Amino acid sequence: GFEFYGRRSQCLRMRYAATSGPGLPAIHLQTELERIADFAALPSARKACARLELMQSPAASGRAYERKAHEFELISEKANIGCGFIPDAILSDCLGKSAASAVAIQVRVFAPHLGIFKG
């Protein structure tokens, strides 16, 4: 955003993760994050921050689906920039009867062996 006088505002957002404490089992944060997605494979800290932000983006409650890594195919971006494709069978499995009328859906994929994706 911008300040009232036209200068671009700057905002620093910080998050806190309790890694130990009274009543909490101790964890190693990097290890826990690697269980969620392949952060080590990301080319930069900026990209890692962007992926962590996706973990906080809003989503409809009750809409989480488990899929196996072999069900995904990574495709290079060309005309599909920022988009992917979902086979009809998987779409029907996730959305049921609503799949027939779905034009577009928004997804977040968290996969330990693949990474974090949005589309």
Side-chain angles (χ1 to χ4, degrees):
F2 290 90
E3 300 287 347
F4 70 93
Y5 49 84
R7 182 174 170 218
R8 188 163 188 70
S9 64
Q10 295 181 358
C11 178
L12 173 64
R13 292 189 179 108
M14 299 180 76
R15 300 292 186 255
Y16 170 77
T19 58
S20 65
L24 293 175
I27 64 166
H28 184 259
L29 188 56
Q30 182 176 348
T31 302
E32 294 301 316
L33 288 172
E34 290 294 335
R35 289 178 52 206
I36 296 170
D38 190 7
F39 283 95
L42 296 174
S44 68
R46 183 180 299 261
K47 196 64 132 172
C49 287
R51 294 299 185 256
L52 288 168
E53 286 178 3
L54 288 176
M55 295 172 74
Q56 299 178 51
S57 62
S61 62
R63 295 284 186 148
Y65 307 100
E66 285 192 32
R67 309 303 307 181
K68 302 293 183 191
H70 68 83
E71 295 178 281
F72 292 87
E73 178 184 348
L74 299 181
I75 57 176
S76 59
E77 289 192 6
K78 292 180 183 163
N80 61 308
I81 296 174
C83 297
F85 305 95
I86 302 174
D88 289 339
I90 291 177
L91 191 62
S92 293
D93 186 37
C94 292
L95 300 181
K97 294 178 183 177
S98 300
S101 60
V103 176
I105 63 169
Q106 186 176 53
V107 299
R108 300 292 187 262
V109 175
F110 297 90
H113 299 292
L114 301 172
I116 298 177
F117 304 93
K118 67 175 184 164

